[in-house]
Amino acid sequence: MGCTVVVDGFFGDTGKGKIVSYLAVADGAAVCARAGVGPNAGHTVVRDGRTYKLRMVPCAFVNPGTRLLIGPGVVVNPDIVLKEVGELGVEDRFGLDPQCAVIEPRHIEIDRRGHLKGKIQTTGTGTGPCNADRAMRTAKMAREVPELRPYLTDVPAELNRVLDEGGAVIIEGTQGTYISLYHGTYPYVTSKDVCASAACSDVGVGPTRVDEVVLVFKAYVTRVGAGDLPGEISHEEAKRRGWDEYGTVTGRQRRAAPFNFDLARRAAMINGATQIAVTKLDILYPECKGLTSFEELGPEAKSFVGRIEEEIGLPVTLIGTGPGLKEVIDRR
Ligand code: IMP
Ligand code: MG
């Protein structure tokens, strides 16, 4: 328990949302804080047959007892925040830090033209231009937006208080290691570092307070937007294998490649991972669908998981066997 950071070891879209929501329920998290860039992320949670696509509110909303926070490092779009909070009915347990920077219409305009749209192929959500303004010390802050006022709270103080009292905290990272501004395939990256230490900084939790870093990989690799993808297969081949996916935020078909052990090993190093989650095992091995016990897995699926553990030198503790919240093998 204590403080768990959940981050992505590939290019985003590995299923962090599902892992965060599972952990929130399984561990009865007192609070979950969203770190990362901003509403360029789309996290998907499937509960009781209903699909939720979240861009601002933490995925831990599925656990009614969990407080939901957005850390000061995140840039927010007030329209999306207020819409999600209202639709999910989490007004009484949602908060964001007054120091979150605010995306304005001009940021979105800049993000949808020039080299950001043409060369980098960003999500067009205004996060990069907003972070640029933040670095220029000209960004608007959440504390200046009257509609957000009811939700403003000191996020670092709340999180550290919960940790002092022995409660469980989840820090929800976004994007992925290889689209980090520092550790990714620059310039084809997002506008911030998004690795585990950056996620802690985003929410105001120091590195000495972290107990577990869960590094999430999908059973194959996907990437949206421009930039290198080793071992990339064609869109047609991806469809044939059932690896075709479409962006949560942009609807673009994701590019796909087989699981990459070299990238995985390096991501474990950079993030200081303590354990690994592997999602969508059922897409590689359909007979795994919905299983919740490791012993029931077929020999090929078991040996794939074993190879990941061997190559990276860390335990695979969580395995996703379907989109549903409970379709998880928990070996912790
Ligand atoms: P930006 O973050 O919108 O500036 O986009 C920069 C690059 O990161 C583009 O290639 C995007 O497709 C990619 N990207 C940003 N957010 C995500 C995400 O949540 N999942 C996957 N790719 C993302
Ligand atoms: Mg996503």
Side-chain angles (χ1 to χ4, degrees):
M1 296 250 181
C3 184
T4 302
V5 181
V6 180
V7 282
D8 183 311
F10 287 145
F11 298 88
D13 306 313
T14 55
K16 288 175 294 300
K18 184 230 169 76
I19 296 297
V20 165
S21 55
Y22 171 79
L23 289 174
V25 173
D27 297 355
V31 48
C32 176
R34 177 82 145 57
V37 187
N40 50 348
H43 290 180
T44 305
V45 181
V46 179
R47 181 182 58 177
D48 302 332
R50 191 170 157 199
T51 302
Y52 301 84
K53 293 182 183 291
L54 301 174
R55 295 171 57 190
M56 297 261 52
V57 170
C59 292
F61 85 90
V62 294
N63 189 46
T66 302
R67 180 141 168 82
L68 308 168
L69 302 175
I70 300 178
V74 178
V75 302
V76 300
N77 181 324
D79 295 340
I80 299 175
V81 169
L82 296 167
K83 182 165 176 275
E84 287 185 1
V85 168
E87 280 175 2
L88 298 170
V90 294
E91 292 87 346
D92 57 336
R93 57 190 177 104
F94 171 78
L96 81 170
D97 198 273
Q99 295 260 90
C100 292
V102 171
I103 296 172
E104 298 185 74
R106 65 192 155 87
H107 297 134
I108 296 173
E109 274 163 39
I110 296 168
D111 211 6
R112 291 185 181 175
R113 60 175 201 241
H115 84 289
L116 290 176
K117 178 179 166 62
K119 180 179 174 185
I120 311 299
Q121 299 173 16
T122 68
T123 61
T125 51
T127 51
C130 182
N131 272 324
D133 272 0
R134 180 180 260 206
M136 291 300 286
R137 273 54 58 84
T138 53
K140 189 194 256 188
M141 297 275 103
R143 59 174 180 257
E144 299 172 63
V145 180
E147 295 78 13
L148 293 177
R149 236 169 241 163
Y151 302 112
L152 297 183
T153 184
D154 183 339
V155 169
E158 279 208 39
L159 293 174
N160 284 281
R161 193 181 318 122
V162 169
L163 290 173
D164 290 343
E165 290 164 358
V169 167
I170 299 173
I171 300 177
E172 177 177 349
T174 67
Q175 282 76 35
T177 299
Y178 294 101
I179 58 170
S180 157
L181 181 64
Y182 298 164
H183 302 290
T185 55
Y186 189 93
Y188 302 104
V189 293
T190 191
S191 55
K192 272 178 65 177
D193 181 24
V194 289
C195 296
S197 30
C200 294
S201 172
D202 285 339
V203 301
V205 167
T208 53
R209 304 221 72 168
V210 174
D211 298 287
E212 299 289 342
V213 176
V214 178
L215 188 60
V216 186
F217 297 116
K218 192 156 57 184
Y220 49 95
V221 185
T222 59
R223 168 164 209 174
V224 270
D228 190 38
L229 178 59
E232 181 169 6
I233 59 173
S234 67
H235 277 345
E236 293 67 44
E237 177 61 17
K239 275 202 179 121
R240 206 184 56 74
R241 297 187 192 187
W243 297 4
D244 57 316
E245 297 181 6
Y246 302 85
T248 306
V249 174
T250 59
R252 297 179 287 188
Q253 183 172 351
R254 294 177 182 149
R255 301 156 58 200
F259 193 95
N260 188 311
F261 292 93
D262 295 329
L263 292 181
R265 213 177 296 113
R266 183 171 174 83
M269 171 185 81
I270 290 171
N271 289 284
T274 61
Q275 47 180 301
I276 292 168
V278 177
T279 62
K280 296 210 173 185
L281 196 67
D282 57 303
I283 304 292
L284 289 200
Y285 308 102
E287 72 279 7
C288 301
K289 176 81 174 86
L291 296 183
T292 54
S293 121
F294 188 76
E295 283 57 49
E296 289 169 354
L297 292 180
E300 283 181 40
K302 274 187 184 154
S303 91
F304 177 64
V305 172
R307 182 165 171 216
I308 294 174
E309 294 189 319
E310 236 163 73
E311 297 246 6
I312 304 176
L314 288 170
V316 172
T317 52
L318 298 163
I319 299 171
T321 57
L325 188 60
K326 291 173 189 150
E327 293 176 308
V328 173
I329 297 172
D330 187 345
R331 306 163 80 201
R332 294 178 299 160

